[in-house]
Amino acid sequence: MYRFPTEESLTVEFKSDRNCLPDNDIIDAVVAFANTEGGDLYLGIEDDGTITGLHPKHRDITRLTAFIANKTVPPVSTRATILHDGQCDVLKLSVPRYTSIVASAAGKIQKRRLKADHTPENVPLYPYEIPQRLSSLSLLDFSAQPLPDSTRDDLSVAERERLRHIIRTYHGESALLELDDLELDKALRLVTQIGEGYIPTVTGMLLIGRAERLQELIPTAESSIQIMDNAQLRVNETFTLPLLASIEKINTYFLSINQEDEIDVGLFRVPIPHYAPQAFREALINAYSHRDYSMLGRVRVLIERDGMTIANPGGFIQGITYDSLLDAEPHGRNPVLADCLKRIGMAERSGRGIDRIYAGSLRYGKLPPDYSQSTDTSVRLYIPDSRPDKNFVRLLIEEQEKLNRDFTVYELLILNLLKTHHRMSQKEIADAAGIPSYKLPTTLESLVESGLIEAIGRGKSRGYFLSAHLYQRQENTIGYVRQTDIDTVRYPELILKLAQKQGLVTRSDVVKLLHVSPAQAYHLLNKLKKNHKLILEGRGKYAHYKPVNRQ
């Protein structure tokens, strides 16, 4: 008997079929699913989850799926299955998520959303929302669109000079500096040719547009900075400026409050900032680069005593979630804008700015950044202002010098987790860090080979902890002994318990029980024999050990 869902959700819809659900209602539901996340439509279930059965008209599933394909544009291919609950039949109609806008043959376009009480509903997809949908599917680059009501006179000479200064300061493409103004604008796609002339693109107006025209042409290009000082609002400013000027203004506020500690590493004093400036700049640029400029809202920076929040309108691009950021293919909502920021040197050229954001906290032994408060309509990054672990920072700097390379973000995640949790299995590390399963084993073994972590056990019970070398460097030898010697106490007890229960124990039993190698199993059994806890009987493959009290 099939187990039906008990309630509706964004991807589950119940429809009563007692009075034969109208064809238009089925088409509307399919279109809404296709324009959102896809999902399952159940015909024959009431809104409260009560199963009342399928109408005879809808039992011909071949005809029904063909009808749906004919009545949707582009044709939606659905999968229909008749299910049984023991008394009634229910039709399950599975609808895939489409990477284009789907409409009914009559031209009706709908989507699904959750209401305030978290129950779903189907609502119209309005014309102004279509660019947002296409943008989230990476099918439309809003930043590349021309602005018909503008001219090159709407671009600011001062802001273009600021752009040239940024190229020089941040080591952007030096060849850009050799171009005249028009050639520079064309090279960075700040303008596009329409007929005989050139007009600004959205990217051009965002980066170097005159402030008064920017407000008229792209009113969504708004920013705000708020700084709290012990529950008092110290700074609260909202403005609409060209993007480069906005980043500079916010960065000036940031630098004014970003305090530093210092530690001694050898002959040098190394600063430890509350927030890594490079990580902050990358996070801020990401917010501007990936925000949805077709939505009302603003890029907002809030700095409080316990941490910092950077938020922007527009959720993650289709296929990306906050827990898959580290492994996601680098692509954004505004490719032309993002490419321009990379070429002038402001954004990370590989598209892996997220690594810098994480490393900015992890290299100082702080809590990692948190994207968990992001929604379908906004991305929210929270960077905690936790206290740095100075011993750990010193250790990482010195170990990097020995390895002659920087730690990867995955290595930093693992080392920080083991510093906090002391000992973890591979699964526990994967769950806590979100490191892809195909990268985790090689990263762990690389750290083992480098002498930074150690491993005990085999298979699923294999545990990892910081090496004796690192514990000694942190003046925490007791912590290391606790992690390693716990097995010297626990393993013999488990072997004796198994021997008492079975009456005897073999080397293969110990291998299966403790996930250790045959040589380790022999060593443990031999030690128990020497301590007169077990007695060896037999030889070779017939060898086994019995508890002393069984003799």
Side-chain angles (χ1 to χ4, degrees), residues 419-483:
K419 174 179 72 74
T420 304
H421 298 282
H422 305 301
R423 178 170 171 167
M424 302 178 74
S425 68
Q426 183 170 311
K427 183 179 184 307
E428 289 171 334
I429 293 172
D431 291 343
I435 299 176
S437 58
Y438 68 92
K439 286 187 177 178
L440 181 56
T442 54
T443 305
L444 285 169
E445 292 311 310
S446 173
L447 288 170
V448 171
E449 291 175 8
S450 300
L452 297 172
I453 67 174
E454 295 180 19
I456 284 184
R458 298 175 62 192
K460 293 181 180 179
S461 66
R462 187 172 174 84
Y464 295 88
F465 50 89
L466 297 181
S467 68
H469 168 61
L470 295 195
Y471 271 107
Q472 290 166 1
R473 293 283 298 281
Q474 295 185 86
E475 300 179 355
N476 189 12
T477 306
I478 292 175
Y480 172 75
V481 172
R482 183 184 299 117
Q483 300 311 313

Coordinates of all heavy atoms in Angstrom, one line a residue, residues 419-483:
K419 N 39.7 21.2 16.1 CA 40.1 22.0 17.2 C 38.9 22.1 18.2 O 39.1 22.1 19.4 CB 40.5 23.4 16.7 CG 40.8 24.4 17.8 CD 41.2 25.7 17.2 CE 40.0 26.5 16.6 NZ 39.1 27.0 17.6
T420 N 37.7 22.2 17.7 CA 36.5 22.4 18.5 C 36.0 21.1 19.1 O 35.7 21.0 20.3 CB 35.4 23.1 17.8 OG1 35.9 24.4 17.3 CG2 34.2 23.4 18.7
H421 N 35.9 20.1 18.2 CA 35.2 18.8 18.6 C 36.2 17.7 19.0 O 35.8 16.7 19.4 CB 34.3 18.3 17.5 CG 33.2 19.3 17.1 ND1 32.1 19.4 17.9 CD2 33.1 20.2 16.1 CE1 31.3 20.3 17.3 NE2 31.8 20.8 16.3
H422 N 37.5 18.0 18.8 CA 38.6 17.1 19.2 C 38.7 15.9 18.4 O 39.7 15.6 17.9 CB 38.5 16.8 20.7 CG 38.4 18.0 21.6 ND1 39.4 18.9 21.6 CD2 37.4 18.4 22.4 CE1 39.0 19.9 22.5 NE2 37.8 19.6 23.0
R423 N 37.6 15.1 18.3 CA 37.7 13.9 17.5 C 36.4 13.6 16.8 O 35.3 13.7 17.4 CB 38.0 12.7 18.4 CG 38.0 11.3 17.7 CD 38.5 10.3 18.7 NE 38.4 9.0 18.1 CZ 39.0 7.9 18.6 NH1 39.8 8.0 19.7 NH2 38.8 6.7 18.1
M424 N 36.5 13.3 15.5 CA 35.3 13.2 14.6 C 35.5 12.1 13.6 O 36.6 11.9 13.1 CB 34.9 14.5 13.9 CG 34.7 15.7 14.8 SD 34.3 17.2 13.9 CE 32.7 16.9 13.4
S425 N 34.4 11.5 13.2 CA 34.5 10.5 12.1 C 34.3 11.3 10.8 O 34.0 12.4 10.8 CB 33.3 9.5 12.2 OG 32.1 10.1 12.0
Q426 N 34.6 10.5 9.7 CA 34.5 11.2 8.4 C 33.0 11.7 8.1 O 32.8 12.8 7.6 CB 34.9 10.2 7.3 CG 34.9 10.7 5.9 CD 35.5 9.8 4.9 OE1 36.6 9.3 5.1 NE2 34.8 9.6 3.8
K427 N 32.0 10.9 8.5 CA 30.6 11.3 8.3 C 30.3 12.5 9.2 O 29.6 13.5 8.7 CB 29.7 10.2 8.7 CG 28.2 10.5 8.5 CD 27.3 9.3 8.8 CE 25.9 9.6 8.5 NZ 25.4 10.9 9.0
E428 N 30.8 12.6 10.4 CA 30.6 13.7 11.2 C 31.2 15.0 10.6 O 30.6 16.1 10.7 CB 31.1 13.5 12.6 CG 30.3 12.5 13.4 CD 31.0 12.1 14.7 OE1 32.2 12.2 14.8 OE2 30.3 11.6 15.7
I429 N 32.4 14.9 10.1 CA 33.0 16.0 9.5 C 32.2 16.5 8.2 O 32.0 17.7 8.0 CB 34.5 15.7 9.1 CG1 35.3 15.4 10.3 CG2 35.1 16.8 8.2 CD1 36.7 14.9 10.1
A430 N 31.8 15.5 7.4 CA 31.0 15.8 6.2 C 29.7 16.5 6.6 O 29.4 17.5 5.9 CB 30.7 14.5 5.4
D431 N 29.0 16.1 7.6 CA 27.8 16.7 8.0 C 28.0 18.1 8.5 O 27.2 19.0 8.3 CB 27.1 15.8 9.0 CG 26.6 14.5 8.5 OD1 26.5 14.4 7.3 OD2 26.3 13.6 9.3
A432 N 29.1 18.3 9.3 CA 29.3 19.6 9.9 C 29.9 20.6 9.0 O 29.5 21.8 9.0 CB 30.2 19.4 11.1
A433 N 30.7 20.2 8.0 CA 31.4 21.1 7.2 C 30.8 21.3 5.8 O 31.0 22.3 5.1 CB 32.9 20.6 7.0
G434 N 30.0 20.3 5.4 CA 29.4 20.4 4.1 C 30.4 20.2 2.9 O 30.2 20.7 1.8
I435 N 31.5 19.5 3.2 CA 32.5 19.3 2.2 C 32.0 18.1 1.3 O 31.5 17.1 1.8 CB 33.8 18.9 2.8 CG1 34.3 20.0 3.7 CG2 34.9 18.5 1.8 CD1 35.6 19.7 4.5
P436 N 32.1 18.3 0.0 CA 31.6 17.2 -0.9 C 32.2 15.9 -0.6 O 33.4 15.8 -0.3 CB 32.0 17.7 -2.3 CG 32.2 19.2 -2.2 CD 32.6 19.4 -0.8
S437 N 31.4 14.8 -0.7 CA 31.9 13.5 -0.4 C 33.1 13.1 -1.2 O 33.9 12.3 -0.7 CB 30.7 12.5 -0.5 OG 30.2 12.5 -1.8
Y438 N 33.2 13.5 -2.5 CA 34.3 13.1 -3.3 C 35.6 13.8 -3.0 O 36.6 13.4 -3.4 CB 33.9 13.3 -4.8 CG 33.8 14.7 -5.3 CD1 34.8 15.4 -5.8 CD2 32.5 15.4 -5.2 CE1 34.7 16.7 -6.2 CE2 32.4 16.7 -5.6 CZ 33.5 17.3 -6.1 OH 33.3 18.6 -6.5
K439 N 35.5 14.9 -2.3 CA 36.7 15.7 -1.9 C 37.2 15.4 -0.5 O 38.4 15.6 -0.2 CB 36.4 17.2 -2.1 CG 36.4 17.7 -3.5 CD 36.3 19.2 -3.6 CE 36.3 19.6 -5.1 NZ 36.1 21.1 -5.2
L440 N 36.3 15.0 0.3 CA 36.6 14.8 1.8 C 37.7 13.8 2.0 O 38.7 14.1 2.7 CB 35.4 14.5 2.6 CG 35.6 14.4 4.1 CD1 36.2 15.6 4.7 CD2 34.2 14.1 4.8
P441 N 37.6 12.6 1.5 CA 38.7 11.6 1.8 C 40.1 12.0 1.4 O 41.0 11.9 2.2 CB 38.3 10.4 1.0 CG 36.8 10.5 0.8 CD 36.6 12.0 0.6
T442 N 40.2 12.6 0.2 CA 41.6 13.1 -0.2 C 42.1 14.2 0.6 O 43.3 14.3 0.9 CB 41.5 13.5 -1.7 OG1 40.5 14.5 -1.9 CG2 41.2 12.3 -2.6
T443 N 41.2 15.1 1.0 CA 41.6 16.2 1.9 C 42.0 15.7 3.3 O 43.1 16.1 3.8 CB 40.4 17.2 2.1 OG1 40.0 17.7 0.8 CG2 40.9 18.4 2.9
L444 N 41.3 14.7 3.8 CA 41.7 14.2 5.1 C 43.0 13.5 5.0 O 43.9 13.6 5.9 CB 40.6 13.2 5.6 CG 39.3 13.8 6.1 CD1 38.2 12.7 6.3 CD2 39.5 14.5 7.4
E445 N 43.2 12.7 4.0 CA 44.5 11.9 3.8 C 45.6 12.9 3.6 O 46.8 12.6 4.0 CB 44.4 10.9 2.7 CG 43.4 9.8 3.0 CD 43.7 9.1 4.4 OE1 44.8 8.8 4.7 OE2 42.7 9.0 5.1
S446 N 45.4 14.0 2.9 CA 46.4 15.0 2.7 C 46.9 15.6 4.0 O 48.1 15.8 4.2 CB 45.9 16.1 1.7 OG 46.9 17.1 1.6
L447 N 45.9 15.9 4.9 CA 46.2 16.4 6.2 C 47.0 15.4 7.1 O 47.9 15.7 7.8 CB 45.0 16.9 6.9 CG 44.3 18.2 6.4 CD1 42.9 18.4 7.0 CD2 45.2 19.4 6.6
V448 N 46.6 14.1 6.9 CA 47.3 13.0 7.6 C 48.8 13.0 7.2 O 49.7 12.9 8.0 CB 46.6 11.7 7.4 CG1 47.4 10.5 8.0 CG2 45.2 11.7 8.1
E449 N 49.0 12.9 5.8 CA 50.3 12.9 5.3 C 51.2 14.1 5.7 O 52.4 13.9 5.8 CB 50.2 12.7 3.8 CG 49.7 11.4 3.3 CD 49.5 11.4 1.8 OE1 50.0 12.3 1.1 OE2 48.9 10.4 1.3
S450 N 50.5 15.2 5.8 CA 51.2 16.4 6.2 C 51.6 16.4 7.7 O 52.3 17.4 8.2 CB 50.4 17.7 5.9 OG 50.2 17.7 4.5
G451 N 51.1 15.5 8.5 CA 51.3 15.4 9.9 C 50.5 16.4 10.7 O 50.8 16.6 11.9
L452 N 49.4 16.9 10.2 CA 48.6 17.8 10.9 C 47.5 17.2 11.7 O 47.0 17.7 12.7 CB 48.0 18.9 9.9 CG 49.1 19.7 9.2 CD1 48.4 20.6 8.1 CD2 49.8 20.6 10.2
I453 N 47.0 16.0 11.2 CA 46.0 15.3 11.9 C 46.4 13.8 11.9 O 47.3 13.4 11.1 CB 44.6 15.4 11.3 CG1 44.5 14.8 9.9 CG2 44.1 16.9 11.2 CD1 43.1 14.7 9.3
E454 N 45.8 13.0 12.8 CA 46.0 11.6 12.9 C 44.7 10.9 12.8 O 43.6 11.5 13.0 CB 46.7 11.3 14.2 CG 48.1 11.8 14.3 CD 48.8 11.5 15.6 OE1 48.3 10.5 16.3 OE2 49.7 12.2 16.0
A455 N 44.8 9.6 12.4 CA 43.6 8.8 12.3 C 43.7 7.5 13.1 O 44.8 6.9 13.2 CB 43.3 8.5 10.8
I456 N 42.6 7.0 13.6 CA 42.6 5.7 14.4 C 41.4 5.0 13.9 O 40.3 5.5 13.7 CB 42.5 5.9 15.9 CG1 43.8 6.4 16.4 CG2 42.0 4.7 16.6 CD1 43.9 6.5 17.9
G457 N 41.5 3.6 13.7 CA 40.4 2.8 13.3 C 40.3 2.7 11.8 O 41.1 3.2 11.0
R458 N 39.3 1.9 11.4 CA 39.0 1.6 10.0 C 37.6 1.8 9.7 O 36.7 1.7 10.6 CB 39.5 0.2 9.6 CG 41.0 0.0 9.8 CD 41.3 -1.5 9.5 NE 41.0 -1.8 8.1 CZ 41.0 -3.1 7.7 NH1 41.2 -4.1 8.5 NH2 40.8 -3.3 6.4
G459 N 37.3 2.0 8.4 CA 35.9 2.0 8.0 C 35.1 3.2 8.6 O 35.6 4.2 8.8
K460 N 33.9 2.9 8.9 CA 33.0 3.9 9.4 C 33.4 4.4 10.8 O 33.1 5.5 11.2 CB 31.5 3.4 9.5 CG 30.9 3.1 8.2 CD 29.5 2.6 8.3 CE 28.9 2.3 7.0 NZ 27.5 1.8 7.1
S461 N 34.1 3.6 11.6 CA 34.5 4.0 12.9 C 35.9 4.8 12.9 O 36.4 5.1 14.0 CB 34.6 2.8 13.8 OG 35.7 2.0 13.4
R462 N 36.5 5.0 11.7 CA 37.8 5.7 11.7 C 37.6 7.1 12.2 O 36.8 7.9 11.7 CB 38.3 5.7 10.2 CG 39.7 6.2 10.0 CD 40.1 6.0 8.6 NE 41.4 6.5 8.3 CZ 42.6 6.0 8.5 NH1 42.6 4.8 9.1 NH2 43.7 6.6 8.1
G463 N 38.4 7.4 13.2 CA 38.3 8.8 13.8 C 39.5 9.6 13.5 O 40.6 9.1 13.3
Y464 N 39.3 10.9 13.4 CA 40.4 11.9 13.1 C 40.5 12.9 14.2 O 39.5 13.3 14.8 CB 40.1 12.6 11.8 CG 40.0 11.7 10.6 CD1 38.9 11.1 10.2 CD2 41.2 11.5 9.8 CE1 38.8 10.2 9.1 CE2 41.2 10.6 8.7 CZ 40.0 10.0 8.4 OH 40.0 9.2 7.3
F465 N 41.7 13.3 14.5 CA 42.0 14.3 15.6 C 43.3 15.0 15.2 O 44.1 14.5 14.4 CB 42.0 13.7 17.0 CG 42.9 12.5 17.1 CD1 44.2 12.6 17.4 CD2 42.4 11.2 16.9 CE1 45.0 11.5 17.5 CE2 43.2 10.1 17.0 CZ 44.5 10.2 17.3
L466 N 43.5 16.2 15.8 CA 44.7 16.9 15.6 C 45.9 16.1 16.0 O 45.8 15.3 17.0 CB 44.7 18.2 16.3 CG 43.6 19.2 15.9 CD1 43.8 20.5 16.7 CD2 43.7 19.6 14.4
S467 N 47.0 16.2 15.3 CA 48.2 15.4 15.6 C 48.8 15.8 16.9 O 48.6 16.9 17.5 CB 49.2 15.5 14.5 OG 49.7 16.9 14.5
A468 N 49.7 14.9 17.4 CA 50.4 15.2 18.7 C 51.2 16.4 18.5 O 51.4 17.2 19.5 CB 51.3 14.0 19.0
H469 N 51.8 16.6 17.3 CA 52.6 17.8 17.1 C 51.8 19.1 17.3 O 52.3 20.0 17.9 CB 53.1 17.7 15.6 CG 53.7 19.0 15.1 ND1 54.8 19.6 15.7 CD2 53.4 19.8 14.1 CE1 55.1 20.7 15.0 NE2 54.3 20.8 14.0
L470 N 50.6 19.1 16.8 CA 49.7 20.3 16.9 C 49.3 20.5 18.3 O 49.2 21.6 18.8 CB 48.5 20.3 16.0 CG 48.8 20.3 14.5 CD1 47.5 20.6 13.7 CD2 49.9 21.3 14.1
Y471 N 48.9 19.4 19.0 CA 48.5 19.5 20.4 C 49.7 20.1 21.3 O 49.5 20.9 22.2 CB 48.1 18.2 21.0 CG 46.6 17.9 20.8 CD1 46.2 17.0 19.9 CD2 45.6 18.6 21.6 CE1 44.8 16.7 19.7 CE2 44.3 18.3 21.4 CZ 43.9 17.4 20.5 OH 42.5 17.2 20.3
Q472 N 50.9 19.6 21.0 CA 52.1 20.1 21.7 C 52.3 21.6 21.5 O 52.7 22.3 22.4 CB 53.3 19.3 21.4 CG 53.2 17.8 21.9 CD 54.3 16.9 21.3 OE1 55.1 17.4 20.5 NE2 54.3 15.7 21.7
R473 N 52.1 22.0 20.2 CA 52.3 23.4 19.8 C 51.3 24.3 20.6 O 51.6 25.4 20.8 CB 52.2 23.5 18.3 CG 53.2 22.8 17.5 CD 54.5 23.6 17.6 NE 54.3 24.9 17.0 CZ 54.3 25.1 15.6 NH1 54.5 24.1 14.8 NH2 54.1 26.3 15.2
Q474 N 50.1 23.7 20.9 CA 49.1 24.5 21.6 C 49.2 24.3 23.1 O 48.4 24.7 23.8 CB 47.7 24.1 21.1 CG 47.4 24.4 19.7 CD 46.0 24.1 19.3 OE1 45.1 24.9 19.6 NE2 45.8 22.9 18.8
E475 N 50.3 23.6 23.5 CA 50.6 23.3 24.9 C 49.4 22.6 25.5 O 48.9 22.9 26.6 CB 50.8 24.6 25.7 CG 52.1 25.3 25.2 CD 52.3 26.6 25.9 OE1 51.5 27.0 26.8 OE2 53.4 27.3 25.7
N476 N 48.9 21.6 24.8 CA 47.7 20.8 25.2 C 48.0 19.3 25.0 O 47.3 18.6 24.4 CB 46.5 21.2 24.4 CG 45.2 20.6 25.0 OD1 45.2 20.0 26.1 ND2 44.1 20.7 24.2
T477 N 49.1 18.9 25.6 CA 49.5 17.4 25.5 C 48.4 16.6 26.1 O 48.1 15.5 25.6 CB 50.8 17.2 26.2 OG1 51.8 18.1 25.6 CG2 51.3 15.8 25.9
I478 N 47.8 17.0 27.2 CA 46.7 16.3 27.8 C 45.6 16.0 26.9 O 45.0 14.9 26.8 CB 46.2 17.0 29.1 CG1 47.3 17.1 30.2 CG2 45.0 16.3 29.6 CD1 46.9 17.9 31.4
G479 N 45.2 17.0 26.1 CA 44.2 16.8 25.1 C 44.5 15.7 24.1 O 43.6 14.9 23.7
Y480 N 45.8 15.7 23.7 CA 46.1 14.6 22.7 C 46.1 13.2 23.3 O 45.5 12.3 22.7 CB 47.6 14.9 22.2 CG 48.1 13.8 21.3 CD1 47.7 13.6 20.0 CD2 49.0 12.9 21.9 CE1 48.2 12.6 19.2 CE2 49.5 11.8 21.1 CZ 49.1 11.7 19.8 OH 49.6 10.7 19.0
V481 N 46.6 13.1 24.5 CA 46.6 11.8 25.2 C 45.2 11.4 25.4 O 44.8 10.2 25.3 CB 47.3 11.9 26.6 CG1 47.2 10.7 27.4 CG2 48.8 12.2 26.4
R482 N 44.3 12.3 25.7 CA 42.9 11.9 25.9 C 42.3 11.3 24.6 O 41.5 10.4 24.7 CB 42.1 13.1 26.3 CG 40.6 12.8 26.6 CD 39.8 14.1 27.0 NE 40.3 14.8 28.1 CZ 40.8 16.0 28.1 NH1 40.8 16.7 27.0 NH2 41.2 16.6 29.2
Q483 N 42.6 11.9 23.5 CA 42.1 11.4 22.2 C 42.6 10.1 21.8 O 41.9 9.2 21.3 CB 42.4 12.4 21.1 CG 41.8 13.8 21.3 CD 40.3 13.7 21.7 OE1 39.5 13.0 21.1 NE2 40.0 14.5 22.7

